[in-house]
Amino acid sequence: MTILTGDCRHLMPEYGPFDLILADPPYGDTSLAWDRRVDGWIVLARQALRPTGSLWVFGSLRCFMATADRFADAGLRIAQEIVWAKQNGSSFHADRFKRVHELAVQFYPTETPWRDIYNDVQTTPDATARTARRQQRPPHTGQIDAGHYLSHDGGPRLMRSVIYVRNCHGRAIHPTEKPSALLEILIRTSCPQGGLVGDWFAGSGAAGEACRLSGRRYLGCEIDADMAELARARIAALLPFHGGGVA
Ligand SMILES: C[S@@+](CC[C@H](N)C(=O)[O-])C[C@H]1O[C@@H](n2cnc3c(N)ncnc32)[C@H](O)[C@@H]1O
């Protein structure tokens, strides 16, 4: 449960294999001095991943389109994406929509079938009672699951891919800090309890907090020594996980 200080490309590969890698790199979408895309980390992360593990990457559509071939060349396939919706956001342009969302995209190794990737589907307790009967499927979809299912009021329902979580505005210790509650959802979905999460661009250590609260082991890496120190202090201030709570 710690954060290394330095370049993730040099430090992180030797600590694998990771059950889950989280990466929130600079998007490289602006001309700001700190917002420069980091070359070469994707292939190293892929090599440091357990064959049944996956990689969740934060970014903008602009940044994913510009770097799409790097994921494919590294032997990574897209599984799915979520949209993080927040209450306010950054506005660099007065002539465009105010941007109040970020994307996180999950990738997994090309040679591993999706069914073998660790995946604990998350639910929310807000189903409404109904019996859904599926019509015969069109031939191209194949047989995916049972022909009908029952749900009851307040029962579990598959979590939606647009996830609203307030951002850390006013209490953040990092300018692009992600809410630990959002990271915890990704961690619970994609890393077994006790598994190892590698956070390659750790920033504030928000993912470390989420790991501590959900009982996963955590190794972060942050190139800015002052930020790494703040992140270590943040994680150290939390109570250790005692195995209870909602899994
Ligand atoms: C978008 S921020 C991450 C924010 C983090 N997810 C949080 O919730 O606080 C990206 C971070 O990556 C760090 N960084 C940039 N290049 C790096 C590298 N090569 N190795 C490790 N960290 C790096 C930056 O200093 C910055 O803090």
Side-chain angles (χ1 to χ4, degrees):
M1 199 88 202
T2 194
I3 295 195
L4 308 171
T5 302
D7 189 324
C8 60
R9 295 168 293 185
H10 301 149
L11 299 179
M12 292 299 263
E14 65 181 279
Y15 291 94
F18 297 97
D19 295 283
L20 163 65
I21 293 179
L22 288 172
D24 183 15
Y27 296 0
D29 287 348
T30 67
S31 55
L32 298 171
W34 53 266
D35 192 21
R36 295 277 176 272
R37 285 194 189 121
V38 178
D39 288 326
W41 72 268
I42 297 170
V43 70
L44 294 167
R46 160 69 189 86
Q47 288 161 4
L49 202 56
R50 198 178 285 289
T52 53
S54 63
L55 166 67
W56 276 100
V57 186
F58 280 87
S60 60
L61 183 60
R62 184 186 297 272
C63 140
F64 282 118
M65 288 187 76
T67 57
D69 55 349
R70 299 186 199 178
F71 290 95
D73 292 349
L76 290 163
R77 206 192 285 277
I78 287 193
Q80 58 183 330
E81 78 277 5
I82 60 114
V83 176
W84 168 37
K86 47 192 172 175
Q87 83 281 16
N88 60 28
S90 46
S91 232
F92 293 109
H93 306 281
D95 58 349
R96 300 180 200 180
F97 289 102
K98 187 174 171 77
R99 192 160 182 277
V100 289
H101 74 279
E102 310 286 334
L103 296 176
V105 181
Q106 185 187 24
F107 297 87
Y108 65 103
T110 312
E111 72 275 12
T112 308
W114 169 246
R115 65 175 174 276
D116 293 340
I117 300 295
Y118 181 85
N119 183 41
D120 182 12
V121 175
Q122 302 297 293
T123 58
T124 49
D126 55 359
T128 47
R130 68 191 183 113
T131 303
R133 288 183 202 288
R134 296 208 170 94
Q135 302 299 315
Q136 196 170 7
R137 292 184 176 283
H140 69 271
T141 61
Q143 186 57 37
I144 295 175
D145 48 19
H148 71 276
Y149 64 88
L150 303 173
S151 58
H152 58 274
D153 281 337
R157 157 175 108 129
L158 278 186
M159 188 174 271
R160 281 13 209 174
S161 59
V162 177
I163 303 176
Y164 177 81
V165 184
R166 290 183 69 80
N167 66 20
C168 309
H169 191 76
R171 61 192 157 88
I173 60 172
H174 187 284
T176 61
E177 185 170 329
K178 305 296 176 288
S180 61
L182 175 73
L183 298 170
E184 197 173 329
I185 292 169
L186 304 183
I187 289 165
R188 287 184 186 279
T189 303
S190 303
C191 182
Q193 202 162 92
L196 179 61
V197 174
D199 181 16
W200 284 43
F201 300 87
S204 67
E209 179 173 315
C211 284
R212 187 136 215 177
L213 297 176
S214 60
R216 274 69 174 174
R217 290 176 297 131
Y218 172 80
L219 183 66
C221 186
E222 171 55 48
I223 207 164
D224 177 332
D226 294 337
M227 183 51 63
E229 195 50 49
L230 286 174
R232 277 191 285 270
R234 168 194 191 155
I235 294 169
L238 293 166
L239 291 174
F241 178 72
H242 285 303
V246 183

